[in-house]
Structure formats: structure tokens, C-alpha cells
Amino acid sequence: MAKNLIIVESPAKARTIANFVGKEYKVVASMGHIRDLPARELGFNPEQDFVPNYEVPDEKRKIIRELKKEIDKDTTVYLATDEDREGESISWHLISALKIEKNPIRRIVFHEITKRAIEEALANPRDVDQSLVDAQQARRLVDRAVGYNLSPLLWRKIKGGLSAGRVQSVAVRILVEREREIRAFKPDEFWKIKAMFESPSFQSELSRIDGKQKKVPNEEAAKEIDRSARAGTFLVKEVAEREGRRKPVAPFITSTLQQEASRKLSFSVAQTMRVAQQLYEGNFEIPGYEGGLITYMRTDSVNLSDEALSQAHDVIVQEYGDEYAVDEPRTFKTTGRGAQEAHEAIRPSKLSIKPSDVKDHLTPQLYKLYDLVWKRTLATQMEEARILHTTLKIEAGEKKELLFETKGQRILFPGFLKAYTEGSDDPDAALEDQDVILPKVEEGQILDLSDLELDQNFTKPPPRYTEASLVKKLESEGIGRPSTYAPIISTIQDRGYVERTRDRKLRPTATGEVVNDFLVEHFSDIVDVGFTIKIEDEFDEIAKGGQSWQEMMREFYPPFVDTVTDKDKNVDPTTARTVRVLGDDPKTGRPVSVRLGKFGPMVQIGTREDEEKPLFASVPNDKDIYEVELDEALGYFAFPRTLGEMDGEEVLVNHGRYGYYVRIGREYFSLEERNPTAVELDEAIQIIKEGRENKTKNVIKDFGEVQVLNGRYGPYIKKGGENYRIPKGTDPSTLDLETCEQLMEENGPTRRRGRRRAAS
């Protein structure tokens, strides 16, 4: 039996902390949550003021038995779970599951795993904060209420296997609304006009007509400007210079770390949190250092401790010189709604540990993220960048009605830019950190025109969200909290409501749009941004002790259940599944509609009320069911097309998840850009032969159960039925089995598109 037992969530965290405490302490891990609501029940009793019925899952019973072996009546138990609401809840559950209410219990918290932080936490224990526990409990019960009641309704009204979640459904709605903006977008024509000069050589763009910013709408207008400009002279009207300053952005919080790691490192949100967790927990083999490398990664505070500010100043002076360090520490204001999860930003635990010092002891992913955090933290305490902005204004046109402008800049003092520049979702923004040197010209100078370039353009629709920009949107709207961003993004993809495109954008699937429409029509509160914000604010109020969780449940649950009951009785499943009615079949006169079927989107001819049974054809997954027209829909009934035989096996053309293909036996070969209605047997046989030959070339390394393969999206690792990404910049031909296994453990398997998982 241990005299003093410290319980944390993970073995890695336990091993790191064990290095900092004496032999009178034993450190063990609970392996995360050890109690939860029952998986197949509502889990709480509305008739008894929503008392939850927590249980220990079967897979956790052994852990509880092992933990109990370390405790007797005199053991002092230190609950050292994470410092956010979820961590507080785990500590509270441990007390009940271990039945240690009569033991001396100490709750200790820390935001970095270093010897100083652990010793300080042990010296300043507190009680479990019941208000934080209640806030987490309220979130769990509300989410269970929504998932448990709505998911079966979706099964009955749309199709089996669907599920609904409170915050996830709002995220899907945001993506669906953006997709429909894109779909409805009508591009407008406009023209850019650039003047090319020689002696000196540079270019300038038309910015004003008759003193106003006007769009050049068409070629006719562009040619008139071209005629007028060539008929006059190009006079340098003004050379304007001004010195500007740029300030560094705030230290990382959870959302900004996720966004920046996505932009700069191509990390998914989930991968960022997984790697950050490893950096926080430590357990590295770094000579002369034991502990975590960064502070706690689930936070919405931009504060830095006095110790961190002092370290940053010393490192900046050492690395860059006195002139780069601020005289007084720079502070930032937290802007997020309900910011409360932790008390300090994400920063290195010890800034004197440079990325280059630990590079050889970390995996590439760990090193890249640590490098990002280290540089960003230093930049926050460095001097502003001073930049000289120059604008050349050039007057032109028969009546001097045209104004061309050229902008340049020169960095006078790089300041924080020496260490770090923030990424952007806008590619043009990268130019803001670069010198753009203009030639020397003087006011009143006549320029020699080399050419005028008339460039036709069209306005672009709003972009799809990336994982990073969706997190930014959720944060700006006050939806979710640092601990929930990554699960939200993962869940909506795992459930098949959203998929990630080749260019890493998030696009709602047909299933996602149909479910969203159902929820918007019948449960508008659940998918309303304002309502979701209100719920989050109530959680925050509970965490402060200003409201009881039972009061919140009394207000939310009864009207919600009444609505579910009403919709179950009155909503027609046929209506809920129908996406669009396209028109009538010219052969039979029966209506043709697009709807969501048991196996995905489909076209239906006729209705179930007709004497003759309806006809069905699936819609290829690469087709947008909201853009399918009548003629195209009728064409789907021609598939599968049987072409003949090859070596005694049937050859056919059909369509599936990734478009049209040729099939022979259990082999599939993509038609890519070929017309599926025109492919005949001879061409199909050639496609099969070429496909088989290419498959033999796709194996880069073969270790038996583990293979390195070339795929349609590049090289990847395959083991059993799972695929694993190979990091960018890694030569797949150099991988050995040990490296493959390491990459598989670090990155986890890639998601399969369309995979379903029930709501909890």
C-alpha cells in the first residue's frame, strides 16, 4: 500500500511526474475516464431530478481493482488530473469509483509538468471544485439527452445508423450553409488593367477612375480604358512614404495552435492535440532534462507567467540581441467568450530549451510543433517590426481620369518577424512579410509605357472551411470550448456527415445535408447558433457556481422531449428523405426524385403509392445530389452495364463511391475521365490489363503484414484493413519496418470516408 498515491490520467504523465517526487509517493494512471453513463440507456432519471446513473465500463474494472490495491484507510490520495472541467470531473468520479471518501484527499493542479510545478502543486492542494464538476456533468447530460432521443428518430425518419449531437449538428449546419452559398454563387465578370513600364521597369495597376474605385465590368469597358490610357501620358503624381509598425500576435491558445499547425504543418486538428498532449506529458529521453516541453494545451487564456516572461527576455537577448527584446513585458487580452479553461497560454515549459537542442530526441511531428510554440512565444515578447510603405500614384488617360497605383515596402527593422510570422488562409497575405522594392522615380516624371495588360477575372465564391478555419468560426461564435474543438471536427467526419476534400477542405456529404435539413426544420433550437451559445454560457455560469445543473436540465429537457414525441408522430419519412423532385419520367410519366436511401443517395422513379413498384438507381458519390438534373438522373438507370466476358469472368461498368469503374470478379479499375456510357468490352479489357500492371508497380516496400504502397493520393502505409499517412518530405523508399510502426503509432489510421458511429 502506498502512503501517498498520486493519480493522473495517462501512463506517460505518470512516468514523468514520478521523476519529480520522492519515494514516499507512488504515481499511477487511471487511463482516462473511469465512469460514464451507460452506453445503451438514457443514463439519468428525469423523474428524480435528473440524477445520473454512472457505471464503471467493463474495460475499466481491472484498472479500478489495480488502483484499489494501492490504497488503504491511511493512504493520502492526490488527484492530479488535468486542470480543466473534464479533468475535475475525472477526479470526482475517481473518489466514488474507488470509494475513498473517508481517505485524506488532495486535489492538485498544474499547467506544466516540471519539477518546480509539481512541487508547488503538492504544497498547495485544494478540494475538488464541485462547480466545475457540475458544469461538466451538465454538458454530458445535455449531450446524452440530444443524442439518445434524436438518433432513433433519425433512424425511423431518414435511415438507420444515423446519429445526432448537440454541438456537432451546429458545426454541420455551418458547413452546409457555406456549401449552399457556394452552390448559389453567380460569378461576376471584372477586368484588371496593368500598365507595364520600362526605364525603370515595373508595373502598376488601375485603382481609380474619375477619383473613385470603380469595377471595370467587361471587355468593352476595358478596351475603352486601354484606348484612353494610350492616348495620354503616364505621370508620376505622388510618391508617398510612411513608416508603419506591426505587432506580434498573442501566444497560442488551443484554437490558434490548431489553426496555425494546420496552415504551417498540415496537421489535422486531432493530430495537433495528440502531438501537443505528448509534448505536455513529457517522458522523453533528453539528456539533462526531465519533464514536459510545453504547458497544458487546452486553454483559452493568452496570459504568460512572470517566470515565462523573464525567460523569454533572456533568450531573446541571447539569440537576437538587446534591441529585439521589449523593455516592458507585452500583455494580451483574452477575447474568447467564456474564457476560463486554464490560466496560462500554451508555451514552452522552459524557453531556454531551444528546438535545436531537442530535435534529435523527438519525432518529426513533436519537433515541428515544439518549434512552432517556441518561436511564437518568443515573438510575443519581441519588439514591433518597422516597415516603410511606399505608394506610387500615376495619373493617366486622355482626361487624366485614370489613377494607377504601385505599392512596395521595405522592412526597416524586423523585430519579432526575425523569429515568427503568423500563417494565413489567404495566400496573398504571405507577401506582407517580404520586401517589395520599388524603382526610384520622382513626382512629375513621365513614364515610358511598355504595354497595357487587360486581364479578365471573375469573382470567386466563398471558400469551403478547412478544419482550422472551422475551429476559428466555432470559437468566434462561442460554440464549444478548447477541450471540444478537436472532438467536434473528428466526430462530424467519422459519422459521414462531412468529408475532407483532396485540398483539405471540409464538404458536407449528402447524408449531412439531409440530416441538417431535417434538424433545421423540426429542431431549429438544437442547430441554432444562438441557442448553442446560450447553452455554453449556462455551462460557464454553472462552473462559476451561479446556477445549478438540475435547474438547467429542468428548463431544457421537458420541452425537448415533447418536440421529439410530436415529430415522431407527425413527420412523414418519405418527405424527410426526399431531397428534390426533378420532374417526370418521359417514358412513364411518373415523378422522378432524388432522395437519401438506405445505402446512400439515390434516384427514384414513381412513389410507393403507385400500382407499379418504384424504380431505384444509386447516385455516384462524386456527384452532388443537389445539382443532379433530370436527364442525368435517368441515365443512372443504365448501370450496371454488362459488357461481356474476359477469361470466363463477367466484365461490367458501374459507379460507386469514387465514380465510375470497370469490374471483373472482385477487381475494380477506375474509368477516370472516360465516358461510362461509351466504354465497350475491348476498351474495358485494356483498362483491366493496364490496371493490373500498375498495381504490381504500386508496392514500394513489402514487410509482410505491413506494406508501403503508392496510392491515388500518394505513398502510404497499409496494415491489415487500415491505411496510415506518410509525413510530407519523407522518402517512402527509405522506410524500414521499425520506422513504419513508429509512424503508425504516432499518426493513427486515416479515416475511412462514410464510416458511421452512433451518438453517445
Side-chain angles (χ1 to χ4, degrees):
M1 299 289 182
K3 181 179 180 182
N4 298 287
L5 188 69
I6 300 175
I7 305 178
V8 298
E9 296 98 328
S10 74
K13 189 174 175 182
R15 286 192 292 270
T16 305
I17 292 175
N19 293 324
F20 305 135
V21 295
K23 292 182 179 179
E24 66 271 25
Y25 293 94
K26 184 167 185 178
V27 189
V28 294
S30 71
M31 308 303 291
H33 290 271
I34 45 81
R35 283 203 321 175
D36 198 1
L37 301 174
R40 300 186 180 279
E41 301 174 17
L42 179 58
F44 59 86
N45 190 341
E47 304 301 323
Q48 296 182 2
D49 212 13
F50 306 97
V51 174
N53 175 31
Y54 291 114
E55 65 178 20
V56 177
D58 291 342
E59 64 271 17
K60 296 290 185 176
R61 295 186 185 281
K62 181 179 178 181
I63 296 169
I64 292 296
R65 288 196 298 270
E66 295 299 319
L67 291 175
K68 283 183 174 180
K69 290 178 182 177
E70 303 293 341
I71 302 171
D72 64 18
K73 63 183 178 65
D74 297 320
T75 301
T76 299
V77 180
Y78 292 83
L79 302 172
T81 51
D82 290 342
E83 61 177 330
D84 57 12
R85 296 174 191 172
E86 189 172 7
E88 203 74 18
S89 180
I90 292 173
S91 285
W92 181 75
H93 281 295
L94 279 167
I95 294 173
S96 296
L98 296 174
K99 296 180 172 55
I100 54 173
E101 292 86 348
K102 295 182 179 180
N103 280 72
I105 297 173
R106 309 283 185 267
R107 173 76 170 115
I108 59 172
V109 294
F110 38 84
H111 61 267
E112 64 183 25
I113 303 179
T114 60
K115 184 175 179 62
R116 181 197 59 79
I118 300 304
E119 289 176 346
E120 188 175 303
L122 288 169
N124 297 279
R126 61 168 174 81
D127 294 331
V128 170
D129 189 325
Q130 191 61 46
S131 294
L132 294 180
V133 173
D134 288 347
Q136 182 65 23
Q137 181 164 257
R139 179 185 295 277
R140 186 71 186 97
L141 296 185
V142 168
D143 289 349
R144 170 56 66 90
V146 172
Y148 186 83
N149 287 284
L150 274 190
S151 296
L153 184 65
L154 293 176
W155 303 342
R156 292 189 290 270
K157 301 302 178 182
I158 299 178
K159 73 168 187 172
L162 297 178
S163 56
R166 180 181 59 85
V167 180
Q168 295 91 329
S169 296
V170 180
V172 172
R173 181 177 186 176
I174 290 171
L175 296 174
V176 169
E177 289 179 347
R178 174 56 58 87
E179 193 68 19
R180 289 177 178 173
E181 282 183 65
I182 296 169
R183 206 175 282 145
F185 181 80
K186 305 295 183 196
D188 288 330
E189 180 183 4
F190 69 98
W191 288 68
K192 289 184 177 180
I193 299 176
K194 294 180 182 177
M196 312 294 180
F197 302 109
E198 56 186 8
S199 301
S201 176
F202 70 101
Q203 66 181 35
S204 189
E205 187 170 330
L206 179 67
S207 64
R208 292 178 181 269
I209 304 171
D210 294 325
K212 298 178 180 178
Q213 289 183 333
K214 292 183 180 179
K215 185 174 72 171
V216 182
N218 51 46
E219 185 176 13
E220 182 182 354
K223 286 184 175 179
E224 174 56 28
I225 292 170
D226 178 85
R227 185 202 63 75
S228 177
R230 291 181 187 274
T233 58
F234 287 80
L235 173 74
V236 179
K237 184 179 180 181
E238 183 181 347
V239 179
E241 289 187 339
R242 65 174 180 85
E243 184 176 317
R245 290 175 175 266
R246 281 186 60 189
K247 295 181 179 180
V249 291
F252 279 131
I253 58 177
T254 303
S255 61
T256 53
L257 178 65
Q258 291 167 343
Q259 292 163 47
E260 200 71 335
S262 174
R263 296 182 190 120
K264 290 192 170 185
L265 308 179
S266 298
F267 282 9
S268 69
V269 168
Q271 182 182 8
T272 298
M273 296 311 291
R274 186 166 58 246
V275 176
Q277 180 99 25
Q278 291 175 278
L279 288 171
Y280 166 67
E281 291 182 342
N283 201 36
F284 308 117
E285 294 182 3
I286 301 173
Y289 183 75
E290 294 177 327
L293 287 174
I294 66 171
T295 53
Y296 189 56
M297 63 283 156
R298 295 187 186 95
T299 176
D300 43 22
S301 168
V302 291
N303 296 326
L304 292 174
S305 67
D306 291 341
E307 182 181 6
L309 293 170
S310 176
Q311 287 181 16
H313 182 275
D314 293 344
V315 173
I316 292 165
V317 170
Q318 178 185 345
E319 292 292 310
Y320 303 105
D322 287 310
E323 67 273 24
Y324 283 90
V326 292
D327 294 330
E328 294 292 331
R330 183 182 286 113
T331 58
F332 298 86
K333 185 176 180 181
T334 298
T335 57
R337 290 179 60 95
Q340 40 70 44
E341 291 286 350
H343 305 297
E344 193 170 0
I346 302 168
R347 61 163 176 84
S349 303
K350 193 174 182 181
L351 275 158
S352 59
I353 300 178
K354 295 183 289 186
S356 58
D357 296 336
V358 295
K359 184 175 183 179
D360 292 341
H361 308 287
L362 302 177
T363 65
Q365 288 81 8
L366 289 167
Y367 166 73
K368 288 175 184 177
L369 198 65
Y370 180 69
D371 183 65
L372 200 66
V373 173
W374 188 83
K375 289 177 177 176
R376 171 91 162 218
T377 306
L378 278 191
T380 67
Q381 300 306 311
M382 295 175 72
E383 283 288 357
E384 299 173 356
R386 300 201 313 275
I387 302 171
L388 182 66
H389 299 278
T390 305
T391 302
L392 305 183
K393 296 183 178 181
I394 301 163
E395 190 177 69
E398 279 183 306
K399 301 176 181 178
K400 306 299 183 186
E401 77 278 13
L402 306 177
L403 185 69
F404 288 77
E405 287 191 10
T406 300
K407 295 185 177 181
Q409 67 177 29
R410 183 161 56 89
I411 296 175
L412 301 176
F413 176 69
F416 74 92
L417 296 176
K418 193 88 170 176
Y420 183 86
T421 57
E422 187 181 30
S424 173
D425 294 319
D426 177 8
D428 294 334
L431 299 176
E432 295 176 3
D433 306 321
Q434 301 174 10
D435 280 340
V436 180
I437 307 300
L438 299 183
K440 185 71 174 176
V441 296
E442 297 180 354
E443 292 182 8
Q445 181 176 339
I446 302 294
L447 301 173
D448 294 328
L449 180 68
S450 171
D451 194 13
L452 275 172
E453 182 181 287
L454 311 183
D455 183 19
Q456 183 187 35
N457 290 268
F458 292 90
T459 54
K460 296 179 180 179
R464 289 188 176 114
Y465 287 98
T466 61
E467 288 192 355
S469 61
L470 180 58
V471 167
K472 186 175 183 180
K473 173 69 172 176
L474 294 173
E475 181 192 32
S476 69
E477 295 286 1
I479 300 170
R481 289 295 181 262
S483 60
T484 64
Y485 298 138
I488 290 169
I489 302 282
S490 297
T491 298
I492 60 178
Q493 293 179 74
D494 287 344
R495 289 178 175 170
Y497 292 158
V498 173
E499 61 187 6
R500 196 157 69 156
T501 63
R502 293 188 188 186
D503 58 351
R504 301 172 59 236
K505 301 292 177 63
L506 297 177
R507 176 177 61 200
T509 62
T511 301
E513 292 203 49
V514 171
V515 170
N516 174 75
D517 290 347
F518 178 84
L519 294 177
V520 168
E521 181 176 356
H522 301 293
F523 296 89
S524 55
D525 276 359
I526 296 298
V527 289
D528 178 67
V529 170
F531 178 78
T532 305
I533 293 171
K534 175 179 175 291
I535 291 288
E536 293 290 347
D537 288 344
E538 290 191 47
F539 292 151
D540 293 343
E541 195 61 27
I542 294 169
K544 297 173 187 174
Q547 181 179 347
S548 76
W549 65 269
Q550 291 99 330
E551 179 184 344
M552 179 185 183
M553 289 299 294
R554 289 185 211 115
E555 180 182 330
F556 168 76
Y557 191 73
F560 169 67
V561 171
D562 289 344
T563 304
V564 172
T565 303
D566 174 64
K567 300 304 179 183
D568 200 15
K569 290 179 180 178
N570 298 314
V571 173
D572 178 14
T574 302
T575 303
R577 294 167 188 156
T578 301
V579 175
R580 297 161 61 220
V581 177
L582 305 180
D584 294 331
D585 177 19
K587 292 182 180 178
T588 65
R590 303 167 79 192
V592 180
S593 59
V594 181
R595 60 184 61 234
L596 193 65
K598 183 177 180 180
F599 301 105
M602 66 179 187
V603 179
Q604 179 174 319
I605 297 177
T607 67
R608 297 191 183 279
E609 289 72 34
D610 295 346
E611 290 186 15
E612 188 178 347
K613 287 185 177 181
L615 301 176
F616 303 97
S618 60
V619 177
N621 271 34
D622 61 342
K623 296 294 182 181
D624 186 335
I625 63 173
Y626 289 86
E627 294 182 349
V628 171
E629 298 300 334
L630 180 61
D631 289 345
E632 183 181 4
L634 292 172
Y636 296 148
F637 288 88
F639 296 93
R641 289 178 57 225
T642 301
L643 305 182
E645 291 188 355
M646 173 184 175
D647 300 331
E649 290 191 282
E650 185 179 64
V651 177
L652 55 82
V653 173
N654 203 355
H655 51 69
R657 175 171 297 175
Y658 302 114
Y660 289 90
Y661 60 84
V662 172
R663 175 184 170 186
I664 178 170
R666 303 183 73 174
E667 295 179 274
Y668 299 81
F669 304 91
S670 173
L671 287 183
E672 297 182 349
E673 301 302 319
R674 295 178 178 88
N675 182 351
T677 62
V679 172
E680 299 298 340
L681 182 61
D682 290 345
E683 186 177 3
I685 290 173
Q686 186 63 31
I687 291 169
I688 292 168
K689 288 180 177 178
E690 290 175 359
R692 286 173 172 172
E693 185 179 344
N694 288 335
K695 281 185 178 180
T696 63
K697 298 176 181 177
N698 285 345
V699 180
I700 301 172
K701 288 287 189 75
D702 192 340
F703 303 109
E705 187 182 8
V706 177
Q707 291 181 308
V708 181
L709 304 173
N710 259 323
R712 62 189 298 171
Y713 303 123
Y716 66 97
I717 298 169
K718 184 178 181 68
K719 180 179 181 181
E722 299 285 4
N723 298 336
Y724 301 81
R725 290 190 182 92
I726 295 175
K728 287 183 179 179
T730 302
D731 183 352
S733 64
T734 64
L735 297 176
D736 55 22
L737 181 58
E738 183 179 352
T739 306
C740 287
E741 289 175 340
Q742 182 179 348
L743 290 175
M744 289 188 290
E745 181 180 352
E746 289 173 1
N747 299 329
T750 57
R751 293 192 192 92
R752 298 176 187 172
R753 298 186 182 188
R755 186 168 58 186
R756 305 290 187 268
R757 190 169 64 184
S760 59

